Amino acid sequence: MDVVDIIRSKRDGHRLADDQIDWFIEAYTAGAVADEQASALLMAIVWRGMEPDELARWTAAMIASGTRLDLTGVGRPTVDKHSTGGVGDKVSLILCPLVAACGAAVPQLSGRGLGHTGGTLDKLEAIPGWSPDLSTEAMIATLRDVGGVICAAGGDLAPADRKLYALRDVTGTVEAIPLIASSIMSKKIAEGTDALVLDVKVGSGAFLPDVDLARELARTMVELGAAHGVRTSALLTAMDTPLGRTAGNALEVTESVEVLAGGGPDDLVEVTLALAREMLSLAGIEADPAAALADGRAMDVWRAMIAAQGGDPDAPLPRAGHIETVPAPADGVLTRLDARSVGIAAWRLGAGRARKEDPVSPTAGVVMLAKPGDDVRAGQPLLELHTDEPDRLPRALDALDGAFSIDASGSEPETLPLVIDRIGP
Ligand code: URA
């Protein structure tokens, strides 16, 4: 096989042959294809795209670069959720114990956050003692006994993706639907789940802000799931405004626990319940997730999940040493609070990382004291900025310049509906 022929073929707009795809993914993962050659092929895919069956084969080769877990031993239907990432998106923390409390097993193999959206593992690591690292045997045992696991993906889960994603990151080839879809779905399919719900975010804080592109990504991933025997559906959900009232690691854990205790902000509860219903439906379980939140069953599973990974669910969470408030400049209705700006502010306060080896602060973040639709008075605190490093505050404040609008005439907020669309069988 000649890698230059493969690059030329895609450059000229042809479908790659199955044996070319298998060979390329295996050889690149093994280090037998140079980064510059793989970069050229990735850029050709960005421009030329992939046929559906070609993409299914590409994804299959990525899965086959490692091991596909076998979760048949857990004794319950397995169903997972993947979000394309958003600001204040702590849904996984609530959804995993909630859907487990309704009778499913939820294997959430997660990654860390990069850029302005937080990572689920970073959030949970704010809990004293909690560790993301579990052996496959321990993960399966926790799924069987507790029902939910959120842990770090092991090194053998789609290793081709790890190499390709790192290369895409530095070659301007991340933003291509076939490459995003195969990257996400290879990891999720390799995890061994029977069913999968995708939360594809739309709006300024989303990875793909445009609704048409988000819909195309959702359709592509749903088709890839089906091609690999995983029942898959997607909800397109709003990410023009941050979800809930917090963005930042410990802050988001506290808010998630409020929802598990039967409270919490309405938008967060609504998106979580919509995803929970979708997951239970794909898993073939008839149960009311709202009841499992209200009667404390989801909280019981949360506590067991945290304890199973060394965490103390009763330990106080760390709090930031400095809190600065941003006041409302005028009286009126808050009509807009831009998700991306809040995410960048939280990131600059220390909640997120720019490179994957950077540490994150458990305490840094933003608390939103008002959300679109709320009446505010001039001088009233709108946002709290939390950090342990006050010299980070000026850049966080810069990110919030122009991030919100207040309308004195009392007009309606300009936000998207929370659940925009559903794609799936
Ligand atoms: N997340 C992934 O896992 N892969 C991508 O390509 C983009 C987002």
Side-chain angles (χ1 to χ4, degrees):
M1 204 61 80
D2 180 358
V3 67
V4 180
D5 282 346
I6 297 176
I7 298 167
R8 279 203 197 102
S9 174
K10 185 45 76 182
R11 181 199 65 191
D12 296 342
H14 302 299
R15 183 207 186 281
L16 298 179
D18 290 351
D19 60 349
Q20 288 180 313
I21 293 173
D22 295 350
W23 178 85
F24 172 81
I25 295 285
E26 198 183 325
Y28 182 60
T29 309
V33 167
D35 280 347
E36 56 270 28
Q37 293 173 312
S39 309
L41 180 61
L42 291 170
M43 189 56 90
I45 293 172
V46 170
W47 281 98
R48 294 295 195 173
M50 282 181 141
E51 306 283 327
D53 63 331
E54 183 185 16
L55 181 59
R57 185 70 178 215
W58 176 271
T59 308
M62 288 171 74
I63 298 166
S65 71
T67 30
R68 186 168 174 173
L69 292 179
D70 176 4
L71 299 180
T72 46
V74 306
R76 312 178 186 209
T78 51
V79 56
D80 190 11
K81 185 248 359 175
H82 176 82
S83 161
T84 54
V87 178
D89 181 5
K90 68 276 295 171
V91 167
S92 287
L93 274 57
I94 311 159
L95 198 58
C96 179
L98 173 58
V99 172
C102 294
V106 185
Q108 283 240 304
L109 273 55
S110 301
R112 294 182 188 282
L114 258 191
H116 72 282
T117 62
T120 300
L121 300 182
D122 296 321
K123 295 173 200 194
L124 286 167
E125 279 181 332
I127 301 173
W130 187 86
S131 163
D133 301 315
L134 279 187
S135 66
T136 303
E137 296 70 36
M139 183 193 105
I140 290 175
T142 311
L143 277 176
R144 198 179 45 232
D145 302 341
V146 177
V149 170
I150 301 177
C151 65
D156 204 33
L157 200 86
D161 179 60
R162 203 160 319 111
K163 273 195 88 171
L164 286 169
Y165 198 13
L167 188 63
R168 288 166 57 211
D169 210 23
V170 294
T171 54
T173 53
V174 169
E175 295 86 354
I177 284 180
L179 296 177
I180 301 169
S182 56
S183 164
I184 293 174
M185 293 303 287
S186 62
K187 288 175 284 202
K188 286 289 148 185
I189 296 166
E191 172 190 277
T193 188
D194 300 327
L196 176 66
V197 174
L198 299 157
D199 180 6
V200 180
K201 300 289 187 193
V202 178
S204 80
F207 178 60
L208 291 179
D210 177 76
V211 69
D212 293 328
L213 281 181
R215 195 175 273 115
E216 193 185 332
L217 175 65
R219 274 206 199 98
T220 307
M221 292 195 292
V222 166
E223 280 169 16
L224 276 179
H228 288 89
V230 176
R231 291 187 299 284
T232 307
S233 67
L235 297 185
L236 262 54
T237 70
M239 189 33 70
D240 51 343
T241 297
L243 198 54
R245 288 184 174 263
T246 60
N249 299 313
L251 293 168
E252 292 192 43
V253 173
T254 302
E255 189 172 43
S256 302
V257 172
E258 280 165 26
V259 175
L260 288 162
D266 292 346
D267 61 342
L268 177 58
V269 174
E270 184 180 332
V271 170
T272 305
L273 287 176
L275 289 162
R277 292 192 181 105
E278 193 63 37
M279 288 170 77
L280 290 167
S281 153
L282 287 192
I285 294 174
E286 268 190 45
D288 175 11
L293 274 185
D295 64 17
R297 276 176 292 146
M299 178 68 98
D300 292 343
V301 176
W302 161 263
R303 294 176 62 82
M305 272 174 60
I306 297 303
Q309 284 170 248
D312 175 357
D314 296 315
L317 295 177
R319 290 184 57 81
H322 296 267
I323 299 178
E324 172 125 344
T325 56
V326 177
D331 290 352
V333 175
L334 183 67
T335 52
R336 186 178 66 90
L337 178 57
D338 180 58
R340 179 166 294 258
S341 308
V342 172
I344 293 174
W347 177 24
R348 290 185 179 172
L349 290 167
R353 56 172 68 76
R355 288 169 309 158
K356 63 178 188 320
E357 54 281 4
D358 292 345
V360 294
S361 157
T363 58
V366 177
V367 176
M368 289 149 268
L369 301 169
K371 290 288 297 280
D374 290 349
D375 283 320
V376 297
R377 311 283 302 169
Q380 166 189 334
L382 277 188
L383 302 170
E384 277 179 5
L385 310 190
H386 290 227
T387 188
D388 287 322
E389 297 167 78
D391 55 340
R392 289 177 173 268
L393 284 166
R395 295 229 328 120
L397 286 165
D398 285 350
L400 293 168
D401 195 23
F404 51 83
S405 310
I406 294 173
D407 190 306
S409 66
S411 12
E412 286 295 303
E414 307 147 9
T415 55
L416 293 164
L418 280 173
V419 178
I420 299 162
D421 203 355
R422 175 187 183 278
I423 289 154

